[in-house]
């Protein structure tokens, strides 16, 4: 995936402000991307970064963590927080996801409300409520995504509606898929950020560890290849993550991961006939990871039943979806 932005950089995992004095007029800060499930929040962040940092699927509620993606250009730096979609659900995992999105919002300088240009249901209204509850505390930019699917009159009508409902400081149509409007969006966001030096080193890309990214690629493959409740009943943990040794003639990442499901019937689906589903998931995840890492990967996958984990506070904590007493916030 190519970046739309020239003069941007991304690559390593370093964080921490650089020591040099920035040129005056440099702006930097945190932008939380808030919106309904499936609005395209993860796609937008990936498109800005020119790298797939956050997994993307056609199914809602794919993103469970808050994920930081850093975009750096000569006169500015935006640390985007991609967040789980705002939605209503009684399940512990879902409530945890929404609370993460809202905490990312309170830690940010600007709220970027991403509206799904192609569909607006109850989750759209819920997201609007959340955004409006914080409207007087921070600048708001509303971006109508999937503009590639809208004709100009439809986009104009929707823009009018959003302007009336939220009076945002910036309002524009974008497409995370084609890159349309992203330069303008970057300019609009940057103008609302405080002046100051970069917050992260210029080659910083994300705060996610390679281990987490590996687990997320497996989860993405599960979301893409399984149906109904299976994706939502799946968590992935990485048991072993060995980076290539310094002198290896053919560098190779060796990764083994466990796919946790909630019930025996789900395990049967996840493994598939003669292991075919697990093989397909493994192959897809491996190809994605190889593209991300630029290095061959040896990936072993296991399936385990962790009974009803998505409603269990201890399991959520163990899988990294909930901050326990001993876990630092993420
Ligand atoms: N046509 C079109 N589809 C998009 C666009 N942005 C995202 N999508 C699709 O919308 C779906 C949800 O995207 P995702 O980034 O996972 O949404 P999230 O749940 O808000 O993070 C995926 O199938 C994307 O390919 C866009 O600008 N145009
Ligand atoms: Mg997402």
């Amino acid at each position: 995936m190519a970046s739309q932005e020239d003069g941007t950089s991304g690559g390593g995992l370093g964080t921490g402000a650089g020591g040099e004095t920035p040129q005056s007029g440099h702006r930097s800060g945190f932008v939380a991307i808030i919106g309904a499930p499936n609005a395209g929040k993860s796609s937008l962040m990936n498109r800005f970064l020119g790298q797939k940092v956050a997994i993307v699927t056609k199914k809602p509620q794919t993103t469970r963590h808050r994920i930081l993606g850093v975009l750096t250009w000569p006169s500015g730096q935006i640390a985007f927080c991609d967040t789980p979609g705002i939605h209503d659900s009684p399940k512990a995992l879902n409530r945890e996801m929404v609370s993460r999105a809202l905490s990312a919002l309170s830690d940010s300088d600007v709220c970027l409300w991403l509206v799904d240009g192609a569909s607006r249901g109850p989750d759209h209204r819920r997201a609007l409520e959340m955004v409006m509850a914080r409207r007087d505390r921070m600048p708001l930019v509303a971006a109508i995504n999937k503009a590639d699917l809208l004709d100009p009159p439809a986009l104009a009508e929707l823009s009018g509606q959003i302007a009336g409902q939220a009076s945002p400081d910036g309002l524009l149509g974008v497409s995370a898929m084609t890159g349309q409007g992203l330069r303008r969006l970057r300019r609009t966001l940057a103008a609302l950020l405080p002046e100051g030096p970069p917050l992260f080193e210029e080659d910083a890309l994300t705060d996610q560890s390679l281990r987490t990214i590996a687990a997320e690629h497996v989860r993405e493959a599960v979301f893409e290849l399984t149906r109904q409740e299976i994706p939502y009943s799946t968590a992935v943990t990485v048991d072993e993550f060995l980076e290539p040794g310094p002198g290896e003639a053919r560098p190779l990442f060796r990764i083994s991961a466990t796919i946790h499901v909630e019930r025996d019937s789900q395990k049967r689906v996840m493994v598939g006939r003669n292991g075919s589903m697990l093989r397909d998931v493994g192959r897809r995840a491996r190809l994605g990871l190889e593209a991300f890492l630029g290095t061959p990967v040896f990936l072993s996958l296991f399936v385990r039943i962790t009974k009803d984990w998505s409603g269990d506070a201890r399991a959520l904590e163990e899988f990294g979806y909930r901050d326990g007493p001993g876990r630092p916030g993420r």
Side-chain angles (χ1 to χ4, degrees):
M1 191 187 298
S3 174
Q4 267 302 105
E5 310 291 317
D6 354 312
T8 57
S9 64
L13 294 168
T15 55
E20 73 277 20
T21 347
Q23 63 280 48
S24 72
H26 187 281
R27 291 178 184 271
S28 58
F30 288 85
V31 171
I33 311 176
I34 298 291
N38 243 12
K41 300 176 294 298
S42 299
S43 304
L44 182 77
M45 187 172 88
N46 290 340
R47 181 79 195 196
F48 264 129
L49 301 185
Q51 277 255 34
K52 194 157 111 187
V53 167
I55 64 175
V56 170
T57 76
K58 289 197 180 61
K59 299 186 174 69
Q61 296 150 32
T62 311
T63 305
R64 289 182 185 157
H65 294 293
R66 147 183 144 183
I67 298 169
L68 197 70
V70 182
L71 175 68
T72 302
W73 69 102
S75 61
Q77 186 178 64
I78 298 177
F80 287 103
C81 294
D82 176 24
T83 65
I86 303 291
H87 63 283
D88 269 326
S89 164
K91 281 184 85 173
L93 172 64
N94 297 65
R95 283 206 310 271
E96 199 56 49
M97 283 159 60
V98 171
S99 105
R100 287 197 166 192
L102 297 178
S103 91
L105 185 54
S106 13
D107 293 344
S108 297
D109 298 296
V110 174
C111 173
L112 170 57
W113 176 30
L114 200 65
V115 175
D116 190 334
S119 103
R120 282 165 313 288
D123 294 334
H124 167 73
R125 284 190 288 281
R126 190 99 188 95
L128 170 66
E129 274 168 33
M130 294 296 166
V131 164
M132 291 315 284
R134 287 152 185 82
R135 180 66 192 94
D136 51 355
R137 272 178 261 163
M138 57 172 65
L140 170 69
V141 173
I144 299 171
N145 190 33
K146 310 191 187 178
D148 55 292
L149 300 177
L150 295 177
D151 54 21
L155 182 59
E157 191 192 329
L158 184 52
S159 300
Q161 241 176 54
I162 303 284
Q165 289 167 326
S167 322
D169 302 289
L171 173 61
L172 66 168
V174 300
S175 169
M177 185 170 273
T178 66
Q180 174 192 337
L182 294 200
R183 268 180 163 294
R184 242 184 86 209
L185 178 55
R186 189 186 79 180
R187 261 200 314 277
T188 307
L189 292 168
L192 295 166
L193 290 176
E195 268 193 43
L199 303 168
F200 298 88
E201 297 201 9
E202 70 166 44
D203 64 352
L205 183 65
T206 177
D207 65 340
Q208 290 203 101
S209 67
L210 290 179
R211 266 183 108 98
T212 307
I213 289 173
E216 289 288 277
H217 273 84
V218 176
R219 221 159 56 73
E220 181 182 69
V222 172
F223 260 74
E224 289 294 341
L225 295 173
T226 64
R227 275 178 298 170
Q228 289 162 0
E229 93 283 12
I230 306 279
Y232 304 101
S233 307
T234 305
V236 176
T237 52
V238 171
D239 314 307
E240 189 172 61
F241 187 98
L242 297 172
E243 302 203 16
E248 267 180 61
R250 283 208 250 142
L252 180 72
F253 280 85
R254 294 175 185 81
I255 303 169
S256 64
T258 299
I259 300 174
H260 302 260
V261 291
E262 303 199 286
R263 290 193 297 279
D264 190 50
S265 57
Q266 295 167 347
K267 180 174 174 177
R268 278 199 299 275
V269 175
M270 203 53 252
V271 172
R273 189 182 287 266
N274 299 322
S276 58
M277 177 58 85
L278 197 57
R279 248 194 326 276
D280 290 350
V281 165
R283 179 162 184 279
R284 192 177 178 117
R286 176 176 60 75
L287 292 174
L289 271 170
E290 287 178 341
F292 182 84
L293 295 165
T295 308
V297 169
F298 181 79
L299 176 66
S300 338
L301 293 181
F302 305 88
V303 181
R304 200 178 107 188
I305 301 170
T306 303
K307 217 169 163 339
D308 298 327
W309 66 263
S310 68
D312 172 356
R314 258 199 30 217
L316 290 180
E317 189 185 326
E318 190 191 322
F319 297 162
Y321 297 136
R322 182 173 191 272
D323 300 328
R327 276 179 67 86
R330 38 177 307 155

